[in-house]
Amino acid sequence: MAAIVLALASTPCLGESLVIEQGPHHQLLRQVMETLGEDGSPLFATNHFTAVATGLGYLGDNGKWQTSTSDFELIDGGAAAWKGQHRVTLAWNSNLPQAVQMVTPDGQRLDSHVHGLAYYDTASGKAVLIAEPKDTQGVLVEPGVILYEDAFEGVVADLRYRNSLSGTEQDVVVRESIPSPESFGLNPESTELQVWTEFDQAPDPRRSASMADRKGPNNTHAMVPDEALDFGAMRIGTGRSFRHGKEDESLSLVTKMWLVSDGRKFLVEAVPVNVVTDAVDLPVNGSGGASIRKAGAGREVVIHSIPRKTPRNGLPKGRIQRATEKMLASYSRPGVVLDYSTLNTSQSNYTFKGDTTYFIAGLVTLTGTNTVFEGGAVLKFTNSVGTKLVVNTPVTWLGSPYRSVVLTARDDWSVGDGITPSNALSGFYAEVALSLDGSSGAGNCSFNLAHLRVAHAKTAVEIKQNTGHVVGHAQFVNCQVGIAPTSADFSLRNALFANTNSSTTFQGSNSTGRLEHVTVDGAATFNSGSTFNSLYLTNCLLTGVTTLGTTTVANHVAVLTNSSGVFQTALAGAHYLASGSPYRDAGDTGINATLRKDLAKMTTYPPLAITVPWTNSMVLSPQAAVDPDIPDLGYHYFPLDFYFTGLPFSNATVTLTNGVALAVYGATGLQVGTAAVLQSEGIPNRLNRIVRQNTVQELPTAYVAGGSLVNIASVPAVRPTFDFRFTDFPAVAGSSGARTLMDTPAYYASSVSLTDCQLRGTILRLAEYPSGTGLSVQCTLKNCMAERSTLYLAKYWFGTDVNFTASLWNNTFWNGTVTLNYDTDTTYNPAWTVKDNLFDAVSLTQGGTGITNIAKSNNGYQSATSLGGTGNVTLSGFTYATGPLGPWYHGATSLVDLGSRTAAAAGLYQETTQTSLAKEAGTTVDIGFHLVATDSNGIPIDTDGDGVPDYLEDRNGNGTFDTGESDWTQSPSGLTGTTGVTVFTPLKP
């Protein structure tokens, strides 16, 4: 995550987490962890991660956020949970008016008591009250659980209240058989068991109707009405039924409705009666029931069966007790639970940041108008019951190639900051890693999730309601259920389901799925949704699937009994197609056009290992063939061409070119020594990349990632140089070492230059500490895009003169950190330049005795502190736009022609900031990051049609035909302008 500097009262011991920031729904934690290096030696790392859970903090009496607890305290005969955002008080007797009193986070009162249990025949419209509450004394059986045992007349059932940080659940626990609906003249096949709760005090909720898929007996399904009930900061969520002690199962949904009659307010929850009788596995009882047992027409019969509760002044006062061992034994006996929960919904419009690891410590419910997931964000889930991320809003999903959003387990050390001391992965973690609601109550939205990895979840992605959902370039690893749709129409494009031998790929109902280029490697069941309307497969590869289930259409699909000989493994990627695979060039070209365009840049070929030190000059270019023609079957990876760890590099020039991708794993990357030159120049529409392997590959292999991508151990005899152009450095959240490009004393190198590069979640630190006098280094960042990245440049002086020059021109820094420190010395005080940059929501600081030596002007600032200087532009509401080369074109003209020099002098004549794609040409340069001018397909402009784009012919970008360059306005054939096209006719055999 982003660097955070805080004054800490103490330092955590090994493995201990220290809370250094508390908010309403998060904690920022610091933890010192120990791991083992590749040689077995101990390595220590200080991790920062953000724990997220709805209601994690509450405002104390001092006005500061305190850590919440869900525990009940026994006070005044009753029980109160008051150290949380919502506050709950329970009376000693459940059969009292206002037995449950709740104050919501926004101060509203929800006071209630259970009215009774009823049957309702949906076919005939008849209803009958079968159980009414009786005086029952509460027992504290767990810190956050109060039980009222045998709380009804007519049915043996308990009443249980479970408090959590995010809300309170009311459970009716049916312990023995219930009366037969036939004894009241009702049809058991169409009869519901209903729980009626009367609200003595409550505001009118905002009601949103929808249809829910409710499971009945014998695994049948039916679409039934349901309501979402919002009370401001609290919502009554969808209930479920399950066997007592099996809280992670769901026998059937418990639907709900809000009913107002004669001024009385009721919550009515319903479940098919056969679900309860079948689950209890006891014979149905034909007798029993409340004192009023005559069925009548309409639900109002239930209301009038019991009059409004009034205080009973003569009742002896009791108290809630603490449970004895005998009580606890009774508490654990079998039963069926019907529950509803009130959920805190005050966590709204949340952004998961691309440089941060989040620990989902319980139920998280997100509301508002939008939830943002940035590429690189890592969400780690605990393995407690009910841990899930529920999103009840539209979603802005910003995953991107080599920078997916990752949802995984607390114990997964392969990505993100460490949460636990070891990589002791076991079983499944999140109950639902990502639950998305597309209904009208949640914004009536369709979801587009591109670049996603979910690992070790009971259910990876749950999609409810609506059409047009798209999930693409996704990996599901070690998940019990992959995608669970309910009344949803979705497309899945380029997805991998790995390590799922005992699991289910799809489990849903009343839904349609369109699958293109999906690989499933092992599954007990492919489609277990008995009411899936349609499931279409194109260009898919299924291996080791025990039960296929229903598929509507299978077009160019290979179904194999096992995966033997199908795949090959390279590092942590285990699903590259085997050499000579018959599944290459075996697909149908008639797939989604956007997907086909993406696959043309992707591969089914593995990277090659580099194990020999670089001591000879060489050129590395792409070797993992991409797929622009007839598509290969199954999942495609973003290309990695070579991979290495701890690679020595000296006395050689290594050139990276044409969009090559290098993957680093392990504790160290390039070990750069004397006389080393690293040159990297990609192509504007195919950048070179230097990445960690976990940005692409799926297996949760805990490769230590403690060192930088580039390491210079000491001052080499001949200091190395680094020149990066059109190179991308993407990183997902994790420890600082895992995200660092270079972190070294600057004088270890002679020059570090980045031009037209992208830093995505990356850290670059160059600090000139005292060294031998006379060593000089030049650091230049020109026209780079830094997205949630950290730049730290420092010239220090401690009595020894140093010569460190830094220049920042035409960069955009978005939501990251920039630190500039300049100390003067007696010999070397070169001018630093910071001009024509855009600082957008950046933590920006400058310091040192020589900051006047930093020349600053014509910079743009949005939500950032100005560095000073002249010609600056202050912005508000400045936005970006997506164009052929990505999302960082300017969405406005606010910074056009406001730089300190011409575009030609800046070397940006052939580039643009606008989606009009017009070149800067001879104008004053725009402030901020530029992209090479292209056509609408992202192909760089080639004015003279000679096959060499203008930006390459005009190498220095000044718009002039200089020595050593070719004239971009005139082809070798003498033709000029856009009509200058040379046509070659190939010879034919």
Side-chain angles (χ1 to χ4, degrees):
M1 58 175 293
I4 298 175
V5 181
L6 294 173
L8 301 178
S10 61
T11 301
C13 299
L14 188 64
E16 176 188 350
S17 296
L18 179 68
V19 178
I20 57 178
E21 180 182 297
Q22 175 71 65
H25 306 290
H26 81 280
Q27 290 177 337
L28 180 61
L29 298 157
R30 184 185 183 194
Q31 187 177 58
V32 179
M33 310 293 288
E34 179 182 3
T35 61
L36 294 179
E38 294 169 350
D39 60 357
S41 61
L43 296 175
F44 297 91
T46 300
N47 293 329
H48 292 84
F49 58 91
T50 300
V52 180
T54 300
L56 197 55
Y58 75 101
L59 279 176
D61 295 336
N62 59 1
K64 297 182 178 180
W65 289 106
Q66 311 289 327
T67 301
S68 298
T69 176
S70 59
D71 295 355
F72 283 110
E73 296 184 18
L74 301 185
I75 300 174
D76 235 1
W82 58 277
K83 294 182 179 179
Q85 289 188 26
H86 67 278
R87 303 188 177 192
V88 182
T89 302
L90 301 179
W92 71 272
N93 183 355
S94 61
N95 190 26
L96 293 175
Q98 299 178 302
V100 182
Q101 298 180 4
M102 173 182 288
V103 179
T104 68
D106 53 352
Q108 298 192 75
R109 289 284 299 270
L110 298 177
D111 296 347
S112 64
H113 66 271
V114 173
H115 179 74
L117 308 181
Y119 284 158
Y120 177 67
D121 188 337
T122 58
S124 66
K126 292 184 177 181
V128 62
L129 183 74
I130 66 166
E132 55 187 293
K134 66 181 181 181
D135 292 339
T136 309
Q137 187 169 330
V139 177
L140 178 69
V141 294
E142 293 178 23
V145 180
I146 302 292
L147 179 72
Y148 299 91
E149 192 172 11
D150 195 16
F152 296 89
E153 294 282 1
V155 167
V156 179
D158 303 337
L159 189 57
R160 180 176 67 180
Y161 292 91
R162 296 184 293 172
N163 193 48
S164 67
L165 300 184
S166 59
T168 302
E169 295 181 65
Q170 174 183 282
D171 303 334
V172 173
V173 187
V174 179
R175 298 293 189 179
E176 294 183 7
S177 61
I178 56 179
S180 166
E182 289 99 329
S183 63
F184 302 101
L186 307 177
N187 182 354
E189 299 301 320
S190 56
T191 296
E192 299 174 331
L193 173 62
Q194 297 184 337
V195 180
W196 285 62
T197 301
E198 183 167 7
F199 280 78
D200 308 284
Q201 178 176 332
D204 292 327
R206 182 169 61 87
R207 302 163 64 180
S208 301
S210 63
M211 299 299 289
D213 176 47
R214 189 172 69 182
K215 185 166 62 175
N218 302 318
N219 206 31
T220 59
H221 287 257
M223 301 304 297
V224 295
D226 192 20
E227 286 188 329
L229 305 174
D230 288 314
F231 296 88
M234 298 295 284
R235 165 186 289 186
I236 295 182
T238 298
R240 60 194 177 96
S241 56
F242 52 90
R243 286 171 292 177
H244 186 251
K246 298 181 179 295
E247 276 73 7
D248 58 345
E249 76 173 357
S250 180
L251 299 174
S252 179
L253 295 181
V254 178
T255 57
K256 60 194 174 301
M257 65 176 294
W258 186 257
L259 184 62
V260 179
S261 179
D262 295 337
R264 300 171 70 179
K265 301 177 180 180
F266 295 89
L267 171 67
V268 181
E269 304 163 276
V271 67
V273 68
N274 285 341
V275 168
V276 179
T277 56
D278 290 351
V280 174
D281 198 24
L282 292 173
V284 176
N285 190 349
S287 60
S291 57
I292 305 171
R293 297 187 293 109
K294 185 177 181 181
R299 293 186 178 89
E300 283 73 14
V301 169
V302 179
I303 299 174
H304 300 303
S305 296
I306 302 178
R308 189 190 299 269
K309 281 193 185 299
T310 58
R312 293 179 286 160
N313 297 325
L315 184 69
K317 189 170 183 180
R319 54 181 300 188
I320 292 178
Q321 305 176 43
R322 296 184 184 275
T324 64
E325 289 187 12
K326 182 178 179 180
M327 292 175 180
L328 290 175
S330 175
Y331 170 59
S332 63
R333 72 191 192 279
V336 176
V337 181
L338 314 177
D339 86 336
Y340 87 82
S341 58
T342 55
L343 301 176
N344 185 335
T345 60
S346 61
Q347 195 167 0
S348 63
N349 297 335
Y350 198 84
T351 295
F352 291 97
K353 301 175 183 178
D355 60 352
T356 303
T357 299
Y358 296 88
F359 177 43
I360 308 299
L363 173 65
V364 174
T365 302
L366 302 179
T367 59
T369 57
N370 190 40
T371 299
V372 178
F373 292 83
E374 293 180 5
V378 175
L379 286 66
K380 294 190 173 184
F381 293 79
T382 188
N383 52 2
S384 302
V385 172
T387 300
K388 64 172 71 175
L389 177 60
V390 179
V391 181
N392 292 319
T393 74
V395 166
T396 298
W397 193 271
L398 300 177
S400 57
Y402 299 89
R403 201 157 186 248
S404 294
V405 179
V406 181
L407 295 84
T408 187
R410 173 197 62 193
D411 300 319
D412 183 359
W413 271 66
S414 67
V415 66
D417 288 270
I419 304 295
T420 52
S422 65
N423 180 34
L425 280 166
S426 178
F428 303 106
Y429 289 73
E431 184 173 310
V432 181
L434 185 60
S435 178
L436 302 171
D437 189 349
S439 68
S440 58
N444 197 28
C445 50
S446 299
F447 302 104
N448 193 329
L449 315 181
H451 312 286
L452 165 69
R453 183 188 307 155
V454 186
H456 314 289
K458 292 178 182 177
T459 295
V461 176
E462 181 179 72
I463 303 176
K464 302 176 182 178
Q465 308 291 322
N466 221 329
T467 62
H469 309 296
V470 179
V471 179
H473 307 309
Q475 296 173 342
F476 303 93
V477 185
N478 294 322
C479 293
Q480 192 172 32
V481 174
I483 296 180
T486 301
S487 301
D489 185 309
F490 71 97
S491 296
L492 183 62
R493 299 169 184 162
N494 194 45
L496 170 65
F497 295 85
N499 296 4
T500 55
N501 291 331
S502 62
S503 303
T504 298
T505 311
F506 299 97
Q507 181 173 288
S509 60
N510 197 42
S511 297
T512 298
R514 296 171 176 83
L515 282 55
E516 297 175 304
H517 287 276
V518 172
T519 291
V520 178
D521 184 15
T525 306
F526 180 68
N527 177 20
S528 70
S530 60
T531 61
F532 248 115
N533 289 349
S534 304
L535 195 58
Y536 303 91
L537 284 72
T538 302
N539 296 352
C540 296
L541 183 56
L542 313 181
T543 67
V545 176
T546 304
T547 303
L548 189 60
T550 303
T551 58
T552 305
V553 173
N555 177 28
H556 290 70
V557 176
V559 181
L560 308 172
T561 57
N562 59 67
S563 61
S564 177
V566 177
F567 305 112
Q568 58 179 311
T569 298
L571 202 58
H575 293 88
Y576 297 98
L577 291 181
S579 179
S581 174
Y583 308 112
R584 289 202 173 98
D585 293 338
D588 188 338
T589 58
I591 58 175
N592 173 268
T594 300
L595 175 61
R596 189 172 182 187
K597 184 177 179 181
D598 289 346
L599 296 184
K601 303 174 183 178
M602 302 177 75
T603 188
T604 60
Y605 289 87
L608 300 179
I610 300 176
T611 58
V612 179
W614 287 341
T615 55
N616 297 311
S617 296
M618 66 180 66
V619 177
L620 294 180
S621 57
Q623 64 80 30
V626 293
D627 195 9
D629 51 5
I630 299 173
D632 304 343
L633 295 190
Y635 177 73
H636 289 51
Y637 291 87
F638 285 95
L640 296 176
D641 296 294
F642 304 94
Y643 66 92
F644 59 85
T645 182
L647 182 65
F649 171 29
S650 60
N651 297 301
T653 296
V654 173
T655 302
L656 313 180
T657 186
N658 290 327
V660 69
L662 304 185
V664 175
Y665 72 100
T668 54
L670 287 174
Q671 299 297 297
V672 180
T674 188
V677 177
L678 180 60
Q679 300 173 335
S680 174
E681 180 165 346
I683 303 170
N685 56 350
R686 191 174 178 183
L687 303 178
N688 286 349
R689 289 188 167 90
I690 304 178
V691 303
R692 293 279 177 188
Q693 50 77 217
N694 63 6
T695 62
V696 172
Q697 297 182 328
E698 76 275 11
L699 295 184
T701 307
Y703 294 114
V704 176
S708 305
L709 297 174
V710 176
N711 297 273
I712 312 173
S714 59
V715 183
V718 179
R719 290 178 298 141
T721 62
F722 304 91
D723 187 4
F724 302 103
R725 190 179 185 197
F726 295 117
T727 302
D728 181 24
F729 303 95
V732 295
S735 63
S736 59
R739 299 193 297 115
T740 299
L741 166 59
M742 187 181 297
D743 184 1
T744 185
Y747 59 85
Y748 282 12
S750 63
S751 68
V752 178
S753 175
L754 287 83
T755 305
D756 300 306
C757 291
Q758 296 193 28
L759 305 172
R760 297 191 285 154
T762 314
I763 298 170
L764 174 61
R765 292 191 183 99
L766 296 173
E768 187 69 54
Y769 292 98
S771 63
T773 301
L775 293 180
S776 300
V777 62
Q778 172 71 47
C779 176
T780 302
L781 268 74
K782 174 186 167 185
N783 196 47
C784 293
M785 180 67 224
E787 175 186 346
R788 284 215 187 271
S789 294
T790 296
L791 176 66
Y792 183 91
L793 301 177
K795 175 186 178 298
Y796 292 114
W797 185 68
F798 295 101
T800 303
D801 295 348
V802 293
N803 191 15
F804 177 24
T805 304
S807 300
L808 306 180
W809 292 94
N810 281 103
N811 305 289
T812 292
F813 299 94
W814 179 84
N815 272 293
T817 300
V818 176
T819 301
L820 306 174
N821 192 91
Y822 191 117
D823 283 344
T824 56
D825 60 44
T826 57
T827 306
Y828 302 107
N829 294 298
W832 284 18
T833 305
V834 183
K835 294 185 178 182
D836 305 336
N837 303 282
L838 171 58
F839 299 98
D840 186 355
V842 173
S843 175
L844 183 59
T845 58
Q846 60 180 336
T849 59
I851 59 174
T852 56
N853 290 336
I854 305 178
K856 299 156 288 194
S857 75
N858 299 83
N859 294 302
Y861 298 93
Q862 178 164 257
S863 301
T865 303
S866 175
L867 295 172
T870 61
N872 296 320
V873 180
T874 300
L875 301 167
S876 178
F878 180 83
T879 60
Y880 302 90
T882 297
L885 296 182
W888 296 111
Y889 294 82
H890 292 184
T893 58
S894 311
L895 299 175
V896 170
D897 296 343
L898 293 178
S900 64
R901 53 185 178 170
T902 66
L908 297 172
Y909 186 100
Q910 308 291 349
E911 304 198 26
T912 185
T913 65
Q914 304 298 304
T915 54
S916 67
L917 307 181
K919 294 180 181 180
E920 280 269 35
T923 63
T924 301
V925 71
D926 300 349
I927 292 174
F929 175 62
H930 291 56
L931 298 111
V932 167
T934 69
D935 63 17
S936 60
N937 294 314
I939 306 301
I941 298 298
D942 179 11
T943 298
D944 58 10
D946 64 353
V948 182
D950 297 354
Y951 84 92
L952 274 179
E953 293 192 84
D954 182 16
R955 179 72 182 169
N956 61 12
N958 67 356
T960 302
F961 178 23
D962 299 313
T963 302
E965 295 179 342
S966 55
D967 188 351
W968 53 274
T969 65
Q970 181 170 309
S971 71
S973 63
L975 300 176
T976 60
T978 56
T979 60
V981 179
T982 302
V983 178
F984 297 92
T985 303
L987 296 174
K988 294 181 168 52

